């Protein structure tokens, strides 16, 4: 909790609802589905059912049809292997029982036992104490300070109870469900957007809350398979589906539809697409064609035998079905990366201002929006909540937060210049000069666009004038050359370097590259050469930007260029930061960037940035390579050692205090990963003190996790307390009413609202030698650092070092040998195929010339 409560108090509503009563008199027994098999009649064996949604369907059938008497009251199932029952089940095998679950309502004509559509479920009681909620009650009452395994299990059971009813009814991703009743928007390309609701159970002091938020899912549009395929290709004529198997369009459709389920026109059934077939009507099997088979077996003439069809079944039992006989089944989520062309529609649909967002959340709880006149969340009618004796309050809770004092921003020479006071989270640089402007005398231009020389000259003149106003001294470019594409980048850079040296007799200090609007490959090649091979900063601009470049655009560009050259644009100052400057200190930001979903043979990249100047305005960056999707930073001890050593070399003394901001850890990783990383940091400190024979005391450490992946939102109660966007003003902090009893945490909304409802960042202190119980200074420091982001004149949503670490992770791709195909690594199911040492050997750190320069800006 906050010690003094610095700032102006403000009351807000939050999207959290009180669970009015815990099921303290109810105990839950735990069971495991040790087997859930599809029965295969021929072999007598079975195939494990892995799809969570299918497993849920099977368990529903088991409880409602196979043995409803045994499973009353209804059990809750987590979609994988765990089931909870509010009574001990009298299983036939004492602690286990196997059930045959018939998924069909149709009786067999001959009266024999069905074989297809029957699944075998084996339940086994877990040998553990029944789960009760007494520990959770003690935890929220403050009688127990640790969030034990018993407390976590109780929260998990509550979570399942809350989510079970809507997750059985609607498509979901476990944490959120989606329904057309809440809102729908056509995207195009065979896709549409559905609104839904996220739910999460969160303990806080004195009560347990359900955090409810609106959520958005991309869904496959139900309807004709042909229509969907044409929409993907942006075609209208069905003959556009007469494709060769080696055509780009065929490969595009094959990728898009893989794993999608379809219903059939000619008979009942649900089939999952395994692949596509060209000219499906002419596909031959068993001395006939698909076209002739459908005519003979089903009495159907194919209208388009030459278009694609789908492949279903297993490799052993392949089946080809013409496209015109397929319908995209309902309720299927699209889980791949959304094509960029749909992003604006997605943003518009999902972005709601605070008033609209809170109204949608309240409607989900209270309004009759569904076909059966119930609310989407329907807490009052959930059989699972009724069995547990739980009720959820329909009113959002109110909390009192504070609006922190805004730090002042210093430009030019702080001794003789007036500071700038941000308003609504932003400020401008009119009539200001950079705190530490840099000069640029030796630079050149590479033009990969079709922009005219006249437009380029106008842009360069505007840039030079804007930078001059900011105190920078930029000479005109020494050389300029037109270029073709990504394949020539290395030669282009070397050629420009030679041209500049020949003309002015100096080494190249920076390259400005003008790129086409879509040019990922060129950008990648330029950054890779500049960062790793040549060792000079590069600044890329898009042709569509420079065609209408004005003073503001060029001033923003100047901020990036000055930081890349080693300059300092401005200094935010506050009482909390001034206190730190009384002795050498270092602020660290760290993050881990992971490969795209489905990639298992591509590494994760960890990053660490550390400040090395008095006001924590300049940062050095470093990276390391580790196993895919591993959240703990493998080489943290080595990185922190290097950071402290380099800080000492530059400042001639070691830091007395280290403040470590860690991005990316989830709540489940605080206890283990956080603890291990704190041990790595203290281990690095011990190592360097031993190796360098240091006599001074070791630095104090404060370790803070900065969380962004949460759904807590704040809504001003009084419109007069809101900013222009309707959000809480920049600097709003809440440390009471929604925090976790086990940790010292707070929510800080450090940025001004722009679009939709602002998301505060969640700060969790896992170790605090520096501030101990003085949360006020820590909150003020975090808010100050949100004003230190060097390429913006507005406060950002997370402290600048955390933002920088995030950017550095994303730049990891530039440091791998192109032959490794980092961006194009293929999806693999074989974890053993990953060779970490090979990836590390083919990774190069940034060039030594870029040391202490923020080239990542």
């Amino acid at each position: 909790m906050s010690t003094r409560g610095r700032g102006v108090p403000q009351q807000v509503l939050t999207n959290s609802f009180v669970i009015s009563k815990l099921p303290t008199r109810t105990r839950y027994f735990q069971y495991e589905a040790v087997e859930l098999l599809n029965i295969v009649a021929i072999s007598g064996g079975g195939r494990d059912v892995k799809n969570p949604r299918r497993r849920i369907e099977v368990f529903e059938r088991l409880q409602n049809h196979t043995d409803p008497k045994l499973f009353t009251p209804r059990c809750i199932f987590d979609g994988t292997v765990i089931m909870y029952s509010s009574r001990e089940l009298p299983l036939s095998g004492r602690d286990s029982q196997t059930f045959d679950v018939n998924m069909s309502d149709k009786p067999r004509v001959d009266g024999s036992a069905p074989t297809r559509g029957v699944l075998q479920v084996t339940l086994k009681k877990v040998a553990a104490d029944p789960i009760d909620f007494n520990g959770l009650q003690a935890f929220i009452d403050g009688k127990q300070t640790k969030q034990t395994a018993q407390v976590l299990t109780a929260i998990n059971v509550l979570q399942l109870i809350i989510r079970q009813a809507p997750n059985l009814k609607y498509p979901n991703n476990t944490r959120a469900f989606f329904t057309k009743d809440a809102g729908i928007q056509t995207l195009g390309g065979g896709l549409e957007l559905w609104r839904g609701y996220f739910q999460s159970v969160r303990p806080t002091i004195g009560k347990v809350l359900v955090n409810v938020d609106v959520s958005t899912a991309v869904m496959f549009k139900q309807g004709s398979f042909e229509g969907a395929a044409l929409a993907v290709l942006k075609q209208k004529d069905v003959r556009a589906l007469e494709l060769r198997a080696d055509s780009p369009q065929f490969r595009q459709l094959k990728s898009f539809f893989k794993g999608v389920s379809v219903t059939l026109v000619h008979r009942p059934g649900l089939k999952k697409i395994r692949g596509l077939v060209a000219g499906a009507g002419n596909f031959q099997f068993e001395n006939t064609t698909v076209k002739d088979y459908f005519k003979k077996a089903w009495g159907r003439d194919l209208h388009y035998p030459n278009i694609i069809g789908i492949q279903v079944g297993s490799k052993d039992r392949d089946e080809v079905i013409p496209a015109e006989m397929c319908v995209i089944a309902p309720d299927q989520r699209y889980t791949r990366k959304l094509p960029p062309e749909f992003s604006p529609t997605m943003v518009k649909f999902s972005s709601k201002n605070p008033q609209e967002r809170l109204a949608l959340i309240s409607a989900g709880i209270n309004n009759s929006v569904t076909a059966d006149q119930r609310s989407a969340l329907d807490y009052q009618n959930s059989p699972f909540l009724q069995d547990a004796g739980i009720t959820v309050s329909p009113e959002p809770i109110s909390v009192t937060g504070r609006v922190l004092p805004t730090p002042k921003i210093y430009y030019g020479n702080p001794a003789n210049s007036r500071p700038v006071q941000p308003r609504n989270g932003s400020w401008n640089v009119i009539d200001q000069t950079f705190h530490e402007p840099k000069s640029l005398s030796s630079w050149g231009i590479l033009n990969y666009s079709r922009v005219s020389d006249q437009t380029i000259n106008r842009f360069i003149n505007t840039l030079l004038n804007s930078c001059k106003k900011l105190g920078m001294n930029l000479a005109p470019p020494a050389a300029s050359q037109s270029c073709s594409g990504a394949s020539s980048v290395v030669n282009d850079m070397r050629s420009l370097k030679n041209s500049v040296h020949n003309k002015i007799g100096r080494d190249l200090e920076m390259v400005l590259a003008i790129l086409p609007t879509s040019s990922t490959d060129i950008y990648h090649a330029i950054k890779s050469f500049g960062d790793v091979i040549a060792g000079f900063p590069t600044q890329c601009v898009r042709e569509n930007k420079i065609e209408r470049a004005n003073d503001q655009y060029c001033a923003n560009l100047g901020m990036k260029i000055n930081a890349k050259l080693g300059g300092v644009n401005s200094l935010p100052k506050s009482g909390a930061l001034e206190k730190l400057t009384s002795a050498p200190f270092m602020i660290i930001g760290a993050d881990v960037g992971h490969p795209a979903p489905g990639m298992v043979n591509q590494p994760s990249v960890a990053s660490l940035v550390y400040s090395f100047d008095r006001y924590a305005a300049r940062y050095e960056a470093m990276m390391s390579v580790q196993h895919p999707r591993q959240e703990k930073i493998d080489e943290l001890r080595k990185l922190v050692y290097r950071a402290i050593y380099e800080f000492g070399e530059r400042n001639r003394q070691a830091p007395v205090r280290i403040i470590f901001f860690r991005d990316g850890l989830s709540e489940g990783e605080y206890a283990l990963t956080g603890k291990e990383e704190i041990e790595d940091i203290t281990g690095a400190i011990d190592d360097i003190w031993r190796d360098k024979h240091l006599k001074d005391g070791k630095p104090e450490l404060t370790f803070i996790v900065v969380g962004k992946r949460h759904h807590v939102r704040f809504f001003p109660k009084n419109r007069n307390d809101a900013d222009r966007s309707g959000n809480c003003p920049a600097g709003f902090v809440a440390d009471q009413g929604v925090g976790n009893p086990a940790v010292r945490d707070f929510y800080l909304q450090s940025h001004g609202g722009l679009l939709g409802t602002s998301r505060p960042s969640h700060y969790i202190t896992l170790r605090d030698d520096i501030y101990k119980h003085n949360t006020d200074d820590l909150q003020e420091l975090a808010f100050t650092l949100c004003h230190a982001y060097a390429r913006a004149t507005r406060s950002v949503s997370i402290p600048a070092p955390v933002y920088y670490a995030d950017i550095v992770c994303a730049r990891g791709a530039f440091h791998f040998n192109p032959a490794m195909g980092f961006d194009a690594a293929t999806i693999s199911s074989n974890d053993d195929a990953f060779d970490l040492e090979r990836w590390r050997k083919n990774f190069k750190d940034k060039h030594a010339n870029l040391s202490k320069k923020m080239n990542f800006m």
Side-chain angles (χ1 to χ4, degrees):
M1 290 300 110
S2 181
T3 52
R4 291 185 297 280
R6 196 174 297 159
V8 179
Q10 181 175 322
Q11 274 216 328
V12 298
L13 294 173
T14 182
N15 56 334
S16 296
F17 301 80
V18 177
I19 294 178
S20 55
K21 181 184 168 189
L22 290 179
T24 49
R25 293 186 181 179
T26 307
R27 297 191 308 165
Y28 282 82
F29 296 85
Q30 184 176 330
Y31 296 83
E32 281 187 358
V34 290
E35 280 189 329
L36 205 165
L37 303 175
N38 255 318
I39 303 302
V40 182
I42 299 170
S43 65
R47 189 172 65 250
D48 191 23
V49 177
K50 297 191 186 304
N51 183 288
R53 190 160 183 195
R54 180 62 171 164
R55 293 175 79 91
I56 288 170
E57 289 171 359
V58 173
F59 264 76
E60 271 303 281
R61 189 79 182 176
L62 168 65
Q63 296 196 67
N64 293 333
H65 294 267
T66 306
D67 201 337
K69 186 177 178 182
L70 177 67
F71 296 102
T72 299
R74 299 270 294 280
C75 301
I76 52 176
F77 179 56
D78 71 350
T80 53
V81 295
I82 304 298
M83 187 182 82
Y84 296 101
S85 172
S86 58
R87 70 185 186 102
E88 191 168 6
L89 300 177
L91 300 178
S92 62
R94 193 176 175 188
D95 286 339
S96 67
Q97 184 172 341
T98 299
F99 303 85
D100 286 344
V101 182
N102 183 5
M103 300 301 289
S104 173
D105 289 324
K106 289 185 177 181
R108 288 175 65 89
V109 177
D110 60 4
S112 62
T115 52
R116 299 192 65 178
V118 175
L119 294 99
Q120 203 170 74
V121 179
T122 300
L123 287 181
K124 184 177 181 181
K125 185 184 174 189
V126 174
D129 291 335
I131 296 139
D132 64 41
F133 296 86
N134 296 323
L136 176 56
Q137 187 68 56
F139 179 61
I140 62 175
D141 288 344
K143 297 173 183 174
Q144 174 180 315
T145 56
K146 289 194 175 180
Q147 193 163 300
T148 61
Q150 181 196 28
V151 171
L152 289 170
T153 303
I155 292 170
N156 188 45
V157 172
L158 268 183
Q159 199 113 265
L160 289 172
I161 292 170
I162 293 284
R163 292 171 174 171
Q164 196 81 6
N167 282 3
L168 289 172
K169 189 175 181 181
Y170 302 111
N172 64 84
N173 63 6
T174 305
R175 295 170 301 161
F177 68 90
F178 309 95
T179 168
K180 288 185 279 192
D181 296 326
I184 186 170
Q185 168 75 54
T186 298
L187 265 183
L191 302 172
E192 57 191 14
L193 299 173
W194 289 17
R195 191 166 284 124
Y197 293 95
F198 166 92
Q199 303 177 89
S200 175
V201 172
R202 306 182 68 83
T204 189
I205 294 172
K207 50 189 173 284
V208 179
L209 305 174
V210 183
N211 176 211
V212 179
D213 196 16
V214 289
S215 191
T216 302
V218 184
M219 307 291 292
F220 288 98
K221 190 173 183 178
Q222 180 185 1
S224 156
F225 177 89
E226 291 171 25
L230 289 171
V232 172
L233 298 179
K234 298 181 176 62
Q235 298 290 332
K236 293 184 178 179
D237 189 339
V238 72
R239 286 174 295 184
L241 302 180
E242 295 177 358
L243 298 168
R244 290 163 50 109
D246 59 355
S247 69
Q249 294 88 347
F250 183 90
R251 289 196 294 271
Q252 182 185 0
L253 293 177
K254 184 177 179 181
S255 172
F256 182 84
F257 286 113
K258 186 171 184 181
V260 174
S261 294
V262 295
T263 56
L264 308 177
V265 173
H266 60 290
R267 63 180 173 86
L270 187 71
K271 299 287 185 181
K272 182 178 283 190
I273 298 174
R274 194 167 62 80
L276 298 185
V277 175
N282 303 313
F283 182 84
Q284 294 190 334
F285 71 103
E286 297 178 2
N287 300 320
T288 188
T289 65
V290 167
K291 177 176 65 177
D292 292 341
Y293 169 78
F294 269 81
K295 174 68 174 173
K296 184 176 179 181
W298 299 102
R300 290 183 177 269
D301 289 313
L302 296 187
H303 298 108
Y304 308 108
N306 298 322
I307 69 171
I308 60 172
I310 69 166
Q311 262 181 321
V312 299
S314 63
K315 292 179 181 178
D316 302 329
R317 195 173 180 276
D318 209 6
E319 189 178 347
V320 173
I321 304 171
E324 61 191 275
M325 293 293 158
C326 301
V327 177
I328 304 295
D331 298 347
Q332 296 184 81
R333 290 189 308 118
Y334 177 86
T335 55
R336 295 167 214 146
K337 189 175 180 181
L338 188 67
E341 65 197 273
F342 299 133
S343 292
T345 307
M346 175 74 159
V347 169
K348 187 176 180 182
F349 180 77
S350 57
S351 298
K352 297 294 176 188
N353 69 41
Q355 290 74 28
E356 292 171 331
R357 194 181 196 98
L358 188 56
L360 280 168
I361 292 166
S362 296
I365 292 175
N366 299 308
N367 290 12
S368 300
V369 296
T370 63
D372 53 3
Q373 296 304 300
R374 292 182 172 184
S375 68
L377 289 152
D378 201 24
Y379 289 140
Q380 60 271 38
N381 293 304
S382 165
F384 304 99
L385 269 73
Q386 290 173 352
D387 289 342
I390 293 173
T391 56
V392 177
S393 169
E395 298 301 322
I397 66 166
S398 173
V399 299
T400 300
R402 291 166 287 111
V403 180
L404 299 177
T406 306
K408 292 180 171 61
I409 311 298
Y410 286 82
Y411 284 89
N413 184 344
N416 54 26
S417 67
R418 293 181 61 188
V420 178
Q421 187 66 56
R423 294 182 180 275
N424 296 316
S426 67
W427 63 96
N428 63 51
V429 292
I430 294 173
D431 300 328
Q432 302 293 338
T433 58
F434 288 147
H435 172 68
E436 191 180 316
K438 290 293 182 181
S439 298
L440 182 61
S441 58
S442 173
W443 64 291
I445 297 172
L446 296 178
N447 180 16
Y448 291 88
S449 73
R450 296 181 181 178
V451 175
S452 66
D453 289 344
Q454 182 181 359
T455 299
I456 293 174
N457 290 335
R458 183 187 65 79
F459 160 65
I460 293 299
N461 286 332
T462 307
L463 178 63
L464 295 177
N465 289 331
S466 294
C467 289
K468 185 177 181 181
K469 290 176 185 175
L470 294 166
M472 295 180 72
N473 181 15
L474 260 68
S480 177
Q481 60 190 53
S482 296
C483 313
S484 55
S487 60
S488 67
V489 164
V490 172
N491 290 334
D492 297 337
M493 299 275 259
R494 286 179 173 148
S495 172
L496 184 68
K497 184 179 178 182
N498 292 334
S499 295
V500 169
H501 193 273
N502 291 338
K503 284 188 178 180
I504 61 173
R506 300 191 62 176
D507 289 337
L508 188 63
E509 293 176 303
M510 191 190 82
V511 170
L512 188 142
I514 303 170
L515 308 183
T517 304
S518 179
S519 50
T520 306
D521 52 347
I522 303 174
Y523 178 82
H524 190 292
I526 287 170
K527 292 297 178 184
S528 182
F529 188 86
D531 287 4
V532 179
I533 308 300
F536 48 66
T538 55
Q539 180 60 58
C540 296
V541 293
R542 305 274 182 198
E543 60 183 357
N544 60 327
K545 296 288 187 181
I546 71 165
E547 286 170 343
R548 54 180 188 274
N550 55 19
D551 287 343
Q552 183 179 348
Y553 174 78
C554 289
N556 290 340
L557 211 54
M559 289 193 291
K560 296 177 74 172
I561 291 169
N562 193 53
K564 289 179 181 185
L565 295 174
V568 176
N569 297 343
S570 63
L571 296 177
K573 289 191 178 181
S574 65
L577 185 57
E578 286 292 342
K579 285 181 187 177
L580 274 181
T581 61
S582 62
F585 73 96
M586 182 164 68
I587 293 180
I588 295 177
D591 192 13
V592 179
H594 299 298
M599 295 285 191
V600 295
N601 61 342
Q602 182 171 300
S604 290
V605 176
S607 68
L608 183 145
V609 303
Y610 70 89
S611 65
F612 55 83
D613 63 340
R614 186 181 180 195
Y615 285 102
R618 296 174 62 193
Y619 289 80
E620 177 65 294
M622 51 187 78
M623 287 182 266
S624 65
V625 180
Q626 58 190 52
H627 280 94
R629 269 172 258 296
Q630 177 182 304
E631 191 52 55
K632 180 187 179 296
I633 300 175
D634 240 0
E635 299 187 306
L636 183 60
R637 189 165 181 154
K638 185 192 299 184
L639 295 174
V640 172
Y641 185 104
R642 181 179 149 194
I644 296 172
Y645 175 78
E646 291 177 1
F647 181 97
E649 287 286 295
R650 182 177 182 84
N651 294 284
R652 311 313 308 161
Q653 54 187 330
V656 172
R657 301 183 186 99
I658 296 174
I659 300 167
F660 192 102
F661 288 99
R662 176 64 158 94
D663 188 19
L665 289 187
S666 65
E667 287 187 2
E669 292 164 330
Y670 298 164
L672 184 60
T673 304
K675 180 175 178 287
E676 289 176 347
E677 291 191 349
I678 289 169
E679 288 172 354
D680 282 346
I681 296 167
T682 55
I685 293 169
D686 291 343
D687 291 346
I688 200 162
W689 253 248
R690 181 196 63 229
D691 294 348
K692 300 301 174 185
H693 309 292
L694 299 178
K695 304 300 182 187
D696 295 335
K698 293 174 184 176
E700 295 176 311
L701 171 67
T702 290
F703 185 103
I704 309 135
V705 174
V706 183
K708 297 173 291 187
R709 293 192 296 271
H710 65 82
H711 286 262
V712 173
R713 302 290 185 273
F714 298 112
F715 307 88
K717 264 189 169 182
N718 188 331
R719 187 68 184 87
N720 294 331
D721 290 336
D723 66 11
R724 287 171 297 185
S725 69
N727 283 285
C728 295
F732 176 80
V733 66
D735 54 17
Q736 296 184 28
V738 288
N740 189 310
V743 294
R744 195 152 55 90
D745 64 342
F746 60 88
Y747 290 87
L748 172 62
Q749 200 159 297
S750 53
H751 56 300
L754 287 174
L755 183 67
T757 304
S758 298
R759 186 204 322 248
S761 290
H762 187 197
Y763 294 76
I764 305 97
T765 309
L766 298 187
R767 172 165 168 165
D768 192 4
D769 303 338
I770 300 170
Y771 297 101
K772 300 179 175 68
H773 298 294
N774 182 5
T775 307
D776 285 329
D777 277 352
L778 181 55
Q779 291 171 354
E780 188 176 273
L781 176 68
F783 188 40
T784 304
L785 292 172
C786 291
H787 292 74
Y789 186 54
R791 61 188 194 192
T793 53
R794 57 185 310 115
S795 55
V796 290
S797 61
I798 50 179
V802 182
Y803 214 138
Y804 295 154
D806 189 57
I807 293 171
V808 172
C809 279
R811 293 174 71 94
F814 308 146
H815 292 255
F816 288 104
N817 181 339
M820 294 296 288
F822 180 77
D823 282 337
T826 55
I827 292 176
S828 165
S829 59
N830 181 9
D831 289 3
D832 296 332
F834 181 78
D835 185 346
L836 179 60
E837 286 311 308
R838 183 166 167 264
W839 281 99
R840 283 180 172 169
K841 285 175 184 174
N842 282 275
F843 179 90
K844 286 188 177 179
D845 212 339
K846 72 176 183 181
H847 197 283
N849 288 353
L850 295 174
S851 175
K852 307 299 184 291
K853 293 179 180 177
M854 293 165 65
N855 63 299
F856 51 84
M857 297 304 294

